[in-house]
Amino acid sequence: MIADFADWITTPANLFGLIAFILVFATALTVSGPVFGRDKLDKRIRSVANRREELRRKAREALERESRGSALRGKDTRSLYRKVVESLNLQTLLEDPNLKRKLIQAGLRGQGPVFGFYFARLIAPIVLFAISASYLFLLNDFGLSTVQRLAVVMGLTLLGYYAPGIYLSNAAQKRRDSIMLAFPDALDLLLICVEAGMSIEAAFQKVAAEVGSSSIELAEELSLTTAELAYLQDRRLAYENLAYRTNHPGVKGVATALVQAERYGTPLGQALRVMAKENRDMRMAAAEKKAAALPAKLTVPMIIFFLPVLFMVILGPAIISFQGM
């Protein structure tokens, strides 16, 4: 049965058909994604809007655990990821000093994503090694020598080790790009709210509700900042946490302006107006940079996909007429 499956999967027509099916399915999933993700904003806003109550609840639970003491001893409520990571001491063996910062910038908070990352870094190389070794050494060697097959297997294993980090970096970059696109408009709304006499907490909450349709990530961050402003004793930490989570230069500048306004009482409206203009210029510069790089990126696809079809359309009738003569 395994031999039949290997013969079927190595047939070029079947392999191309499988690849075409995967691409069509991915395209359909991408097109239908917005339809199935309409309530994503409400869920993420609800998860951070009550940050103050959540922190208070955790503090009360900690006090209750201390008071009950031995009543909870012996009850292991850890997840499978955490048990494996702690038993193998993966946090020390696979330590990444910048992991928490990357997770926060990717929108993943808490200890669960930390243990999930280390677990994925352990499992991914093993899975890719087993699949690639089984395929190349048992099913189809593609005419490669033993050394070449070992090199492919080790390369895929190394890719499995770095794959979780690559995924995390891409998620953080996408989140930062989404925030960058919507942040100038959010600053304009924030300026209007502040000049209308609203407090900074109410202004953040209002802007988060309005900007959610264009950037869920920015709405989430503003809602979390609102909760931290109401809970943290030092309001400066809330602004610094906002800049730390987003890792965006425009947000960092606004956070600095808000800290100075809190400390020295400087006018906030003028600072927000200047920051909004600077962020719009940054967004326009990023768009111009992408537009300037587009011709170079289109060169290879045009040579591979467009020019052969163009030559067929132009020369095809002439060749058919010549053969008819």
Side-chain angles (χ1 to χ4, degrees):
M1 183 176 180
I2 297 178
D4 296 337
F5 176 75
D7 294 337
W8 182 87
I9 197 66
T10 53
T11 303
N14 297 332
L15 185 60
F16 289 149
L18 180 61
I19 295 174
F21 171 76
I22 294 174
L23 293 177
V24 171
F25 178 76
T27 303
L29 188 64
T30 303
V31 172
S32 61
V35 178
F36 296 103
R38 289 178 178 175
D39 60 342
K40 190 175 180 181
L41 172 62
D42 296 335
K43 291 182 180 179
R44 297 184 70 169
I45 292 300
R46 285 197 300 267
S47 66
V48 298
N50 298 323
R51 178 65 174 171
R52 176 177 55 186
E53 288 75 9
E54 180 182 354
L55 294 175
R56 289 180 176 177
R57 177 179 56 80
K58 289 182 178 180
R60 289 195 299 267
E61 289 178 354
L63 293 175
E64 291 177 359
R65 283 197 299 268
E66 292 179 0
S67 62
R68 285 183 292 183
S70 60
L72 293 178
R73 293 177 184 175
K75 183 179 179 181
D76 192 357
T77 59
R78 298 177 300 171
S79 63
L80 175 62
Y81 297 160
R82 183 169 183 173
K83 292 178 183 178
V84 174
V85 171
E86 290 181 349
S87 61
L88 298 178
N89 197 19
L90 296 180
Q91 286 185 292
T92 302
L93 297 176
L94 306 177
E95 183 180 4
D96 188 352
N98 298 322
L99 177 60
K100 290 187 177 180
R101 177 178 60 84
K102 294 178 181 178
L103 288 172
I104 290 175
Q105 292 174 0
L108 304 174
R109 303 179 182 86
Q111 290 296 320
V114 176
F115 294 110
F117 176 83
Y118 285 118
F119 183 79
R121 178 162 280 187
L122 171 68
I123 293 299
I126 298 175
V127 172
L128 286 179
F129 175 81
I131 294 176
S132 59
S134 301
Y135 190 85
L136 291 177
F137 286 94
L138 298 179
L139 298 178
N140 189 357
D141 58 0
F142 293 101
L144 301 176
S145 63
T146 304
V147 177
Q148 291 174 335
R149 283 180 286 172
L150 285 175
V152 173
V153 171
M154 296 308 297
L156 290 176
T157 304
L158 189 63
L159 177 63
Y161 177 80
Y162 288 105
I166 295 174
Y167 170 78
L168 200 61
S169 300
N170 290 335
Q173 182 64 38
K174 290 181 180 179
R175 182 181 178 85
R176 186 162 54 250
D177 292 342
S178 175
I179 292 175
M180 182 178 180
L181 289 175
F183 191 64
D185 299 331
L187 278 182
D188 291 334
L189 293 175
L190 185 64
L191 174 62
I192 294 172
C193 294
V194 170
E195 290 185 342
M198 297 176 64
S199 64
I200 193 63
E201 294 91 343
F204 271 158
Q205 191 65 36
K206 182 64 176 178
V207 173
E210 295 294 334
V211 82
S213 59
S214 58
S215 176
I216 298 176
E217 292 80 6
L218 181 57
E220 181 183 4
E221 293 298 335
L222 294 178
S223 298
L224 184 57
T225 303
T226 304
E228 290 182 347
L229 284 172
Y231 180 79
L232 296 177
Q233 295 181 354
D234 191 355
R235 295 166 62 89
R236 175 180 57 86
L237 293 177
Y239 301 130
E240 292 178 353
N241 290 339
L242 175 63
Y244 179 78
R245 291 192 304 267
T246 55
N247 192 26
H248 181 263
V251 181
K252 292 180 181 178
V254 173
T256 302
L258 292 174
V259 171
Q260 292 177 353
E262 291 279 348
R263 181 178 298 178
Y264 304 111
T266 56
L268 187 57
Q270 184 63 29
L272 289 177
R273 185 176 288 105
V274 174
M275 290 293 175
K277 183 179 183 303
E278 290 180 356
N279 280 271
R280 282 194 297 270
D281 294 339
M282 290 173 58
R283 183 173 61 181
M284 183 60 67
E288 292 176 351
K289 182 179 178 181
K290 287 185 177 181
L294 189 60
K297 293 180 179 179
L298 286 178
T299 302
V300 175
M302 287 185 64
I303 293 174
I304 296 177
F305 299 106
F306 289 93
L307 291 182
V309 177
L310 185 62
F311 288 146
M312 291 176 62
V313 172
I314 295 175
L315 300 179
I319 294 174
I320 293 174
S321 300
F322 180 76
Q323 290 178 348
M325 295 173 59

